[in-house]
Amino acid sequence: DMEQRSRPEALSVVSREHELVTKLKTGTPRETDEWVERLFATLRADVYPLAECRLILQRIVLALVHALYELKGDAKEPFEDTPDPVAAVARLSSLDEGEVWMKALCGKALAVIQGMREDRNARQIEKAIVYVRAHYQEPELSLTAVCRHVSLSPSYFSSLFKQHTGRTFVEFVTEERMEKAKELLVLTSMKSYEIAYAVGYADPHYFSGAFKKHTGDTPTDYRSKMTTGKV
């Protein structure tokens, strides 16, 4: 009877592996804790022998570790302080101990994934900044173009960009263009409208207004101040 009842339940454990991996990728600590609680409630309700429980847990932990290896894309241990969690399952002496241990392991997995997500986001923002610095001269430089370049949605990218740089994307692009314009005003004899085109403004009048708003001076006054020292 135990044999018959354990088979369909064991099959559902296979689908639980996928559910756990999904929760770890997208869920919260509370959700993974609840998942572990449901798993152990099932193990207790079906009165599995501890040896069989260990096998089921090892299978789930193996799936978890495999998912982390795939996400990390390198050969490092996913958990620095629990180098072999599959072996650790064999040392569990009760389901209560197993539940506490499993919750802690899932918490560590969430932290690893969160860290990877933050690293990836930082790399995407850095990639966007490099792109802006290479394309600021183009009037068609836009949020959409940059989002395409870094493969992120505009709304997600915008909030991420503000979070990482402290500025909106438009503020950042304007600042980059204005800094270049200031350099050109001081270091070259280019006319104001030429500088406007050189830093990505199709309309020289708009550039002059934006420059004054940004620096407090018109381009002509700024050049005069910086080159003669006269206010």
Side-chain angles (χ1 to χ4, degrees):
D1 182 44
M2 172 68 81
E3 184 69 22
Q4 282 176 334
R5 196 174 48 191
S6 69
R7 276 192 189 128
E9 197 49 60
L11 284 175
S12 86
V13 167
V14 178
S15 70
R16 281 168 193 263
E17 293 169 12
H18 300 298
E19 196 187 338
L20 174 61
V21 170
T22 303
K23 287 226 180 302
L24 289 172
K25 286 178 183 173
T26 61
T28 63
R30 180 70 240 145
E31 286 172 332
T32 51
D33 276 0
E34 283 167 0
W35 183 91
V36 173
E37 284 161 14
R38 283 199 307 276
L39 170 70
F40 278 83
T42 303
L43 294 178
R44 288 186 187 96
D46 279 42
V47 204
Y48 282 126
L50 188 58
E52 196 170 343
C53 290
R54 286 199 195 104
L55 288 174
I56 291 168
L57 290 175
Q58 278 182 323
R59 178 172 185 144
I60 289 169
V61 169
L62 201 57
L64 183 157
V65 171
H66 181 66
L68 284 182
Y69 273 127
E70 281 194 330
L71 283 169
K72 279 174 85 86
D74 60 32
K76 286 186 198 141
E77 286 288 352
F79 305 109
E80 274 133 38
D81 54 350
T82 314
D84 191 353
V86 180
V89 174
R91 296 191 291 273
L92 297 172
S93 58
S94 69
L95 284 182
D96 288 355
E97 186 193 343
E99 186 170 348
V100 171
W101 179 85
M102 189 79 182
K103 280 184 179 177
L105 187 75
C106 287
K108 287 177 197 167
L110 273 175
V112 168
I113 290 167
Q114 180 67 28
M116 288 188 308
R117 194 176 292 131
E118 281 166 11
D119 288 348
R120 190 167 61 243
N121 287 344
R123 282 197 303 275
Q124 295 301 83
I125 296 305
E126 194 47 50
K127 191 177 169 186
I129 288 171
V130 168
Y131 185 85
V132 168
R133 288 179 175 153
H135 295 271
Y136 70 89
Q137 314 93 318
E138 299 163 14
E140 58 276 13
L141 173 68
S142 65
L143 178 67
T144 312
V146 175
C147 288
R148 230 184 352 255
H149 181 66
V150 296
S151 310
L152 293 173
S153 75
S155 58
Y156 184 63
F157 172 78
S158 296
S159 67
L160 209 56
F161 194 87
K162 181 86 192 274
Q163 191 184 315
H164 279 259
T165 66
R167 284 163 289 183
T168 67
F169 176 74
V170 172
E171 285 167 347
F172 179 79
V173 172
T174 302
E175 206 165 291
E176 286 293 308
R177 285 173 163 163
M178 291 304 160
E179 287 308 307
K180 295 292 174 194
K182 286 187 318 202
E183 280 177 31
L184 292 173
L185 283 163
V186 174
L187 301 175
T188 76
S189 56
M190 288 168 74
K191 294 183 168 57
S192 179
Y193 74 87
E194 293 173 320
I195 291 173
Y197 298 139
V199 298
Y201 288 90
D203 179 349
H205 293 292
Y206 182 79
F207 163 70
S208 293
F211 189 87
K212 176 143 197 198
K213 190 176 172 192
H214 188 77
T215 63
D217 291 308
T218 65
T220 310
D221 289 345
Y222 181 84
R223 173 177 270 159
S224 174
K225 266 188 192 178
M226 300 311 277
T227 52
T228 65
K230 289 179 188 162
V231 177

